[in-house]
Every structure is written in C-alpha cells, then in structure tokens.
C-alpha cells in the first residue's frame, strides 16, 4: 500500500475544507458581507459578536425599544453561556437569553436561506421580525421548557439589502446552553446544495463503514480463528450508527416522533461504546504488548459510563462527555506506546496501524477542541474515521489474501507428496506380500510366547493394582475411581499420596501404548513420581522434575505422556493444580457453578527445562473435582473433540444433585447411552473426588 498517496489525499481533503478567501465576521452585532456574497456559490457563517441580552426573551418589536434604553452586551457565537460546574453544579448550563444581529448582504429580492443547526436546547428564530423557525419550547422555567434537536433549512425573501436576525434560546436539559452551533446564510440554491452535499458525504461514509463492518462479520463467520475481525466489524457498525445519529440528526428525520431524551441517550451511548469495543480490537491485534489490566479498565469504565447514561437524565450525564473524552485520549496515548513496542519488535501490521491511528486521533482531537469551542475550524472526524477504517480493512484483507496464497501453495505441495506417497505405497504392497510368507512362519513361534506374555501381563496387573491402592483420606476427602483399561494392563496410571495429615496429592497420567509396554512405562513413571514427590512442594514443580528426568534420561526411549497433578492443602483449604498436555479438568462447586482447571504446559518429556504453570483455588465442603484422561470422552464424537468434551461436561453437570455413591455409575451409564456402545476403544480413567 502506498501510504504517501493516502497522506496526500487526506491533506488535500483537509485543505479543501478551508476557504481560500477569509469570510467576514459579525462585529458589534453587524455583519457586512455584501462583497463576499456578491459572487454566487458562496455562503457565510454568522459567527462573531452578536448582541446579547441574558435573562431576557425579547420579541423583535421589544428589541427596538430596549436598544433605546440600554447598551447591549456582546456574545461570541458560536459559544455557550454555561458557568463553571464548580459554581453552579448541574445547573451550569441552565438559563435563557436573546441574541440578535444584522447582516448586510446586498441581495434584496433574491431567495435566501439560513441553515439552522441544533441549539442548546430550544430556540425561536426571527428574520426581519417574522418567526420562521423553532425547535422545542423556549421558556423561562424548567417545568415548561422542552428540548429538541432538529436541524433545518429555512427559506425567505429579503425585502431590503439587509436582514435582522433574532434568536431566543433557553436550556434546562444540557450542560451547555446557548448558540453552540453556527448558522449559515446564503442563496437558497447554494445552501440547499451544501446541505445535500453533506447528506451525500455522510451517507457515503455511513454506507462505506457499514459495508466494511458487514464484510468483516462474514469474514469472522467463515474464519472464527481470527476474532479481531468480529470486534473490528462491531466498531465499524457502531461508528456508522453514530454518524447517522449525530451528523445532521438523520435519525430525527427518519423517526420524527423520537423523543429528545432517547435521541441524546443514543448519541452518548454510541460514543461511549466505541472506546471499549475498539480497545478490544486493538488488544487482540497486539495482545503481546497490550496489558490485560489496562484493557479491562477501559472496558469496564466504558460500560460504567453507558450505565450512567441509561439510568440518569440528560442534565446529569451530559457532564460525562469531557471526562470521557479525556479518558479516551489517555487510552489513545497508551495505545501509542503499545504500537511503538510492536514496531520495535517488527510486529506485522504495526506500521500500517500507526499510520491510520495517527490520522484518526488527530481528527478526534480536532473535533474535541471544536465542539468545546476551544478552537474554531471544520470538523474532520468524518475523514479520520473513514481513513482509519479503510486502512484497517485493507490490512485485514491483505492478511486473509496471504492466508489464501499459502493455502494454495500448501495444496500444491500436498499434491506432489501424494504422488510420492502413492509410489511408496506400491512398494510397501510388494514388501507386504513378501512379509506375509515370513509372518506365516513366525506365527507358530509367536503363539508359544503368548502364554508367557499372558503370565507377565497378569503379574504386571497385580503390581499396578498394588501401587494404585488408595491411602486413608478421612476425614477430608471421598474418592471413587472409574478405571477401564482395554487390556489386562492399560496406559492410564494414577497415584494418590498423603504428603502430610492435611496435604494430599493426586497424580493421573496416560502412558504410551497398552499391555506390557504400558506396564513398564507406568512403573518408570511411578518410580519417578515417588522420587520427586519428596522434594516437589507444588504440582508444577513435580511436573518440572518429571519432565526433565524423562527428557534427559529416557530420550532414546521417547517416553512422552500427558499428566495431571492435583494437591489438596486442607490447612489453607486450597486446591493447587498443574497439567501437562491435558484437556481442561472440572471443578464442580457445591453451589452448582462449574470452574475449569486449565492446562498449564506441554506433555511430559518433550521440552527441556520447561516451567509449568500452576492454578490455585479455594475449596470447601461439598465441592467435587473430576479428573479424567481423554479416552473417557473422545468416542462421544470422534470427529469433533471439542464437542465430545462439551458432551462430557453436560453429563457431569447433570450429577450435581446425586449422592456420592451414585455419581460414577450414573456417568458411566450416560456415557454408554451417548456412545451407543458398551465399551471403550481406549484406556479410560475418571477420578471423582468430593471434599467432605
């Protein structure tokens, strides 16, 4: 992507928003715009020093009388009369006043129009003494006042070369009171053309961003492996909704009967929700650099602001805008640090994200300053939003394209390997035919050895049964075990050891193979377990020592196995858990709530010097823990291991109200019913523990 091209286009758009000729301003209540409006296609903003009569609602006739008795004050428009929050609290924006000015336009008899934006929060507009527009109910008290936002264009025919304009404004529902927006005067055709252009611009923006959102929803639907596309889509849809709500208040034109309070709540909610949702997108993109605590702070803070908007009135929650804008800017500053770290580590996509983010934040800061009347200038958030989301869409699309190209390359390689495999398969078929004759000769020899192996298997079984004997667990625990090897001796091995009177350790592993091989491996595992249990104070230490032993001492044997270690410390009433290469285990609280004991590392013997994680949680009487190997549930759904695990979880949850002795029989019956089988194809073990 050519970033210079995008930067050039964006700069040209910004420059196009700035008029080449400086327009006149209202001075001491008079605007001299004859020369400026002499050429067609020009409009003039009625900003500057308007005559100001605070605490008075004056009609045009009364204004002429009043001018003879007193000198007017002057008020800078756009502006608000709101006092400091520290002086008047939540009444800082309450009040009413009259504003007036005269404009010398030199366009007598030519149709003119005034584009009237929303005022804070009700107004009456008089042109040459005639009331031509109003929003809400202008009044001197809160009880009778009614707010309304309905931008409009009003047309009139000036009978002279000058026009007097009078505004009556009252506010009792918003933190800002007064003419916070700018009126625009010009020829009727020019004003309507300008308004139509704004509608076209906003609708193109809404449509483009909404299309981006829907497109990325479909991407997520077809590839849930990349969840950031979902949150990007939500952000796009929310931004499009905000532009539709705020812009020129299109929602009011579409739903004329919508109440002002509902409209304002939607406006604030759409803004407050953007920050936590977009933060989720950034967090998923740069989760190696983005602190989860910071993300949680942004998320829950945004939700708290939204909740306040839901439960309070506008006279309260409108004061949240400035604090939330500051909060958002702090989040943006943190995001810059995150992106800087990602760029330092050459993280893919970090530079393109920084480019679009800088444009977005610059336009966002500009609009904050303009809306708070700190500076005067054009609103640029439309450009910032579109550039930001367009660049992000291109970035995401490029990643998906790379994935498709890699998939095509892999498909080609797979085709070549299939041809090679077919050739090898033909060779193997020939070799198998030769081997059949040799196997036939060896069958009798092997048959003679089967009896000896059978004796060895029975001996191994008795040894396994002796080492897996349960110690006395009273009065802390009750244990029931479902052990289903598919041979005389299976690969599943478990040990229960009392470390101290109040400390018990459970071990569950799944050795490779079945029969005598599994028995030998199990003995090695049991021997190493007994050796390191004396020095391993925590479950993850035990897995670390066992992993290092089998990695160093048994590399030639290639002994790899998943394992679980679960310690009960009844002195502190704590459960400590570590798992290597296993599925999530289940902790069923006595209140019925299900907690997952998540895997904390790879299988034993595969990585050198690996430090396993550990999970700790409180246990209390009535809690139930289920430890199991994968053979217990894989046949529930052989094609979808995740679904099989979900089915097992549901079966276990059903037993929450059963007595202890009935739990394992009920689970076994339900498993057989789900599988429509009477036995397993793999070793299966389920250790059921209840805290007494």
């Amino acid at each position: 992507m050519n970033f210079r091209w995008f930067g050039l286009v964006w700069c040209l758009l910004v420059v196009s928003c700035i008029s080449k000729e400086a327009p006149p301003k209202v001075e001491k209540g008079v605007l001299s715009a004859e020369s400026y409006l002499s050429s067609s296609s020009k409009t003039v903003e009625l900003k500057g020093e308007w005559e100001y009569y605070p605490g008075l609602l004056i009609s045009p006739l009364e204004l002429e009388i009043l001018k003879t008795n007193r000198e007017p004050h002057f008020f800078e428009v756009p502006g608000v009369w709101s006092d400091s929050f520290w002086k008047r609290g939540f009444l800082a924006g309450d009040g009413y006043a009259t504003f007036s000015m005269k404009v010398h336009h030199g366009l007598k008899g030519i149709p003119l129009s005034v584009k009237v934006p929303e005022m804070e929060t009700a107004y009456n507009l008089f042109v040459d003494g005639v009331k031509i527009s109003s929003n809400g109910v202008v009044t001197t008290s809160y009880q009778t006042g009614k707010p309304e936002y309905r931008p409009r264009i009003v047309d009139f025919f000036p009978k002279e070369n000058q026009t007097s304009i009078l505004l009556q404004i009252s506010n009792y529902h918003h933190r800002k009171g007064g003419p916070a927006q700018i009126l625009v005067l010009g020829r009727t055709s020019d004003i309507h053309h300008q308004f139509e252009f704004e509608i076209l611009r906003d609708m193109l923006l809404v449509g483009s961003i909404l299309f981006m959102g829907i497109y990325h929803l479909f991407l997520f639907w077809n590839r849930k492996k990349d969840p950031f596309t979902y949150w990007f889509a939500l952000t796009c849809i929310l931004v499009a909704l905000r532009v539709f709500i705020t812009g020129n208040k299109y929602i009011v034109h579409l739903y004329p009967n919508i109440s002002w309070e509902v409209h304002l709540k939607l406006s604030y909610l759409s803004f407050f929700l953007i920050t936590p949702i977009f933060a989720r997108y950034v967090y998923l993109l740069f989760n190696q650099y983005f602190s989860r605590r910071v993300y949680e702070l942004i998320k829950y803070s945004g939700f708290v602001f939204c909740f306040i908007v839901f439960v309070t009135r506008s006279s309260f929650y409108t004061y949240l805008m400035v604090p939330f804008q500051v909060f958002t800017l702090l989040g943006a500053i943190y995001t810059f640090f995150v992106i800087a770290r990602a760029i330092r580590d050459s993280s893919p996509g970090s530079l393109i994200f920084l480019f679009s983010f800088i444009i977005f934040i610059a336009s966002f800061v500009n609009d904050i300053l303009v809306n708070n009347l700190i500076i005067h200038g054009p609103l640029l958030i439309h450009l910032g939003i579109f550039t930001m989301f367009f660049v992000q869409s291109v970035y995401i699309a490029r990643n998906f394209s790379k994935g498709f190209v890699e998939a095509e390359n892999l498909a080609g390689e797979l085709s070549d390997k299939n041809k090679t495999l077919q050739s090898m398969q033909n060779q193997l078929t020939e070799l198998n035919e030769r081997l059949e004759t040799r196997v036939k000769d060896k069958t009798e020899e092997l048959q003679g050895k089967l009896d000896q192996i059978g004796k060895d298997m029975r001996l191994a079984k008795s040894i396994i049964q002796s080492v897996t004997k349960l110690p006395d667990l009273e009065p802390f625990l009750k244990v029931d075990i479902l052990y289903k090897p598919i041979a005389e001796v299976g690969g599943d091995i478990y040990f229960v050891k009392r470390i101290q009177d109040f400390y018990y350790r459970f071990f569950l592993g799944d050795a490779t193979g079945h029969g005598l091989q599994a028995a030998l491996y199990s003995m090695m595992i049991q021997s190493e377990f007994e050796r390191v249990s004396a020095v391993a104070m925590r479950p993850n230490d035990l897995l670390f020592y066992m992993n290092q032993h089998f990695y160093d001492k048994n590399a030639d044997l290639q002994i790899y196995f998943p394992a679980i270690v679960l310690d009960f410390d009844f002195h502190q009433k704590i459960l400590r858990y570590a798992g290597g290469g296993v599925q999530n285990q289940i902790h069923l609280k006595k209140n019925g709530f299900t907690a997952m004991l998540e895997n904390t590392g790879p299988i034993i013997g595969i990585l050198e010097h690996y430090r396993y994680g550990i999970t700790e949680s409180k246990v209390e009487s009535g809690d139930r823990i289920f430890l199991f190997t994968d053979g217990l549930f894989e046949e529930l759904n052989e094609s979808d291991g995740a679904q099989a695990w979900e089915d097992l979880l549901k079966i276990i949850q059903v037993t929450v109200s059963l007595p202890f002795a009935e739990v394992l029989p009920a689970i076994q019956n339900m498993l057989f019913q789900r599988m429509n089988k009477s036995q397993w194809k793999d070793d299966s073990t389920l250790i059921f523990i209840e805290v007494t």
Side-chain angles (χ1 to χ4, degrees):
M1 172 176 289
N2 193 332
F3 295 110
R4 294 181 179 177
W5 184 84
F6 276 111
L8 177 60
V9 171
W10 190 82
C11 291
L12 290 174
L13 289 172
V14 172
V15 171
S16 67
C17 297
I18 303 174
S19 179
K20 296 181 180 179
E21 179 183 351
K25 295 180 62 176
V26 181
E27 297 180 0
K28 303 297 183 180
V30 177
L31 175 63
S32 298
E34 296 95 332
S35 60
Y36 186 79
L37 293 175
S38 60
S39 59
S40 60
S41 76
K42 283 191 176 181
T43 60
V44 62
E45 296 179 342
L46 306 183
K47 62 181 181 180
E49 298 174 339
W50 286 49
E51 294 181 5
Y52 176 46
Y53 301 92
L56 296 174
L57 295 180
I58 307 168
S59 68
L61 293 177
E62 294 171 334
L63 180 63
E64 297 300 325
I65 300 173
L66 185 63
K67 283 185 176 181
T68 61
N69 298 324
R70 57 176 288 182
E71 289 293 328
H73 298 286
F74 294 98
F75 190 93
E76 188 71 25
V77 176
V80 292
W81 61 56
S82 303
D83 287 335
S84 168
F85 176 80
W86 308 111
K87 292 182 179 180
R88 297 186 62 196
F90 294 107
L91 301 178
D94 289 10
Y96 54 93
T98 302
F99 303 83
S100 71
M101 57 87 66
K102 286 185 179 181
V103 54
H104 297 280
H105 47 70
L107 299 175
K108 176 181 178 181
I110 298 176
L112 299 181
S113 296
V114 178
K115 180 186 175 186
V116 189
E118 72 271 12
M119 297 294 169
E120 309 296 346
T121 52
Y123 76 85
N124 293 323
L125 175 64
F126 297 84
V127 173
D128 288 331
V130 179
K131 182 178 178 181
I132 62 172
S133 178
S134 66
N135 265 193
V137 177
V138 178
T139 182
T140 59
S141 66
Y142 170 80
Q143 290 75 12
T144 55
K146 178 183 177 182
E148 186 178 17
Y149 284 163
R150 197 178 300 273
R152 61 184 59 180
I153 295 175
V154 291
D155 306 327
F156 66 96
F157 286 89
K159 298 179 181 180
E160 303 293 339
N161 286 322
Q162 66 179 22
T163 297
S164 62
I165 297 176
L166 183 141
L167 265 175
Q168 296 176 345
I169 301 178
S170 66
N171 171 66
Y172 303 98
H173 301 81
H174 199 280
R175 68 182 176 90
K176 295 191 297 185
Q181 306 291 331
I182 301 175
L183 283 74
V184 181
L185 174 70
R187 291 174 175 82
T188 298
S189 59
D190 297 333
I191 292 293
H192 283 273
H193 175 75
Q194 185 183 81
F195 184 66
E196 290 167 0
F197 174 79
E198 291 176 358
I199 294 175
L200 178 62
R201 180 199 64 190
D202 290 347
M203 291 304 100
L204 284 175
L205 181 66
V206 169
S208 300
I209 297 178
L210 186 61
F211 177 78
M212 293 179 200
I214 296 173
Y215 171 74
H216 286 91
L217 276 181
F218 279 106
L219 286 182
F220 173 74
W221 181 269
N222 290 284
R223 183 179 171 85
K224 294 183 173 60
K225 186 179 179 181
D226 296 324
F228 62 85
T229 57
Y230 170 76
W231 293 98
F232 178 75
L234 284 188
T235 307
C236 288
I237 294 172
L238 196 59
V239 169
L241 177 64
R242 174 162 177 79
V243 175
F244 184 76
I245 292 172
T246 56
N248 277 298
K249 316 298 181 189
Y250 302 110
I251 191 172
V252 177
H253 297 284
L254 188 62
Y255 300 102
N257 295 325
I258 189 172
S259 71
W260 181 86
E261 186 71 35
V262 172
H263 175 211
L264 194 65
K265 283 183 183 291
L266 289 175
S267 174
Y268 273 68
L269 288 173
S270 64
F271 179 71
F272 289 168
L273 281 173
I274 289 174
T275 297
I277 292 178
F278 186 72
R280 178 66 177 175
Y281 166 65
V282 179
Y283 172 75
L284 292 175
L285 274 184
F286 303 104
N287 55 2
Q288 295 180 343
Y289 311 99
F290 205 114
S291 168
R292 183 171 183 84
R293 290 184 178 179
V294 174
Y295 162 68
E296 295 288 343
L297 174 64
I298 295 174
K299 178 179 72 173
Y300 289 115
S301 297
F303 292 159
V304 167
F305 275 90
C306 291
F307 176 76
I308 295 174
V309 172
F310 265 116
V311 300
T312 61
R313 296 190 308 180
S314 59
S315 56
F316 178 84
Y317 66 74
T318 52
Y319 287 89
L320 300 178
M321 180 58 75
V322 173
F324 191 80
Q325 289 172 342
V326 174
F327 173 76
T328 302
L329 288 177
L330 292 176
I333 293 172
Y334 176 78
T335 304
F336 274 116
F337 284 107
V338 169
I339 301 172
R341 293 175 59 193
I343 293 174
R344 179 197 62 190
D345 296 342
S346 300
S347 177
S350 55
L351 277 173
I352 189 173
F353 187 91
L354 178 64
F355 167 75
S356 61
F357 193 67
I358 289 175
I359 294 176
F360 174 72
I361 293 302
S363 62
F364 178 69
V365 172
N366 173 80
D367 281 26
I368 289 177
L369 298 177
V370 172
N371 287 326
N372 287 282
L373 306 177
I374 298 174
I375 65 174
H376 299 294
L379 297 175
L380 303 178
I381 193 65
H382 299 80
L383 300 175
I385 288 173
F386 180 77
T387 304
M388 169 75 178
F389 288 103
F390 178 78
V391 172
Q392 289 301 304
S393 296
V394 172
Y395 163 68
I396 294 173
R398 187 180 66 174
N399 286 347
F400 273 85
S401 298
K402 285 184 178 179
F404 290 138
V405 171
E406 291 175 359
E408 291 176 354
N409 294 335
L410 289 174
E413 293 178 6
L414 182 61
S415 177
D416 295 338
K417 291 186 181 296
N418 283 337
K419 293 178 181 179
T420 304
L421 183 62
Q422 184 64 42
S423 175
M424 296 178 65
Q425 187 175 359
N426 293 335
Q427 297 177 15
L428 285 174
T429 302
E430 183 180 351
L431 291 173
N432 284 336
E433 292 174 353
R434 296 178 184 177
L435 286 173
E436 284 180 0
T437 58
R438 299 187 62 184
V439 169
K440 197 172 185 180
D441 297 336
K442 293 291 182 179
T443 300
E444 293 182 0
E445 180 182 349
L446 292 175
Q447 186 63 42
K449 296 181 179 180
L450 284 177
D451 294 338
Q452 182 62 41
I453 293 175
K455 293 179 182 179
D456 294 339
M457 290 291 294
R458 288 189 289 274
L459 176 62
K461 181 179 180 181
S462 64
I463 294 174
I464 294 297
Q465 289 175 343
S466 66
V467 300
T468 57
K469 185 177 180 181
L470 294 176
D472 182 15
L473 304 174
E474 296 290 337
F476 300 104
L477 298 169
K478 290 194 292 186
V479 178
D480 198 359
I481 299 176
L482 174 64
Y483 180 62
K484 294 290 182 181
I486 62 172
E488 285 287 326
V489 177
D492 291 357
I493 184 71
Y494 63 88
F495 314 110
V496 182
K497 186 177 183 64
R498 185 171 70 177
I499 307 299
Q500 297 181 20
D501 290 340
F502 57 88
Y503 203 106
Y504 298 86
R505 175 165 290 168
F506 289 74
F507 178 91
L508 176 60
D510 186 0
T512 306
H514 308 287
L516 190 59
Q517 175 192 9
L520 292 174
Y521 287 168
S522 298
M523 291 301 96
M524 296 177 67
I525 294 171
Q526 192 272 339
S527 174
E528 184 61 13
F529 171 81
E530 291 293 336
R531 184 181 73 84
V532 301
S533 277
V535 296
M537 302 304 296
R538 300 185 303 175
N540 58 329
D541 294 332
L542 180 69
L543 291 183
F544 171 79
Y545 294 137
M546 295 187 73
N547 174 73
Q548 198 58 37
H549 172 81
F550 284 101
Y551 185 91
D552 294 337
K553 306 299 183 182
N554 301 304
D556 294 338
L557 297 177
Q558 295 184 346
I559 301 178
Y560 311 117
F561 58 93
I564 297 168
V565 183
L566 180 70
D567 287 359
F568 286 94
D569 183 355
F570 288 100
H571 183 70
Q572 301 182 35
K573 295 183 178 181
I574 289 178
L575 176 152
R576 299 184 177 94
Y577 171 84
V582 296
Q583 287 283 346
N584 293 344
Q585 308 296 300
I586 300 172
H587 182 182
L588 191 61
K589 302 283 188 177
K590 70 174 184 178
N591 59 6
F593 177 78
T594 303
M596 295 298 117
L597 302 176
E598 297 183 353
N599 183 58
T600 60
I603 61 175
I604 305 301
I606 196 169
L607 293 178
E608 186 179 14
H609 299 308
Y610 188 87
R611 287 290 180 182
Y612 289 80
I614 186 171
T615 301
E616 294 187 359
S617 59
K618 289 288 185 179
V619 293
E620 55 185 343
S621 179
D623 283 6
R624 293 177 172 181
I625 295 90
F626 298 84
L627 307 178
F628 48 88
T629 58
D630 56 8
L632 185 70
F633 65 92
E634 284 183 341
E635 295 188 34
L636 287 172
N637 192 328
E638 296 180 358
S639 63
D640 190 344
Q643 183 60 48
W645 190 89
E646 291 292 337
D647 292 343
L648 176 63
L649 177 60
K650 293 177 182 178
I651 289 173
I652 290 176
Q653 289 174 334
V654 170
T655 66
V656 65
S657 60
L658 293 179
F660 176 85
E662 297 178 14
V663 171
L664 285 192
I667 291 176
Q668 185 172 358
N669 290 337
M670 286 187 283
L671 286 173
F672 284 151
Q673 291 174 5
R674 290 285 185 96
M675 294 187 299
N676 196 22
K677 303 174 184 176
S678 59
Q679 62 183 10
W680 280 273
K681 292 183 180 179
D682 192 8
D683 299 329
S684 302
T685 304
L686 171 61
I687 302 177
F688 170 45
I689 309 167
E690 181 173 311
V691 180
T692 57

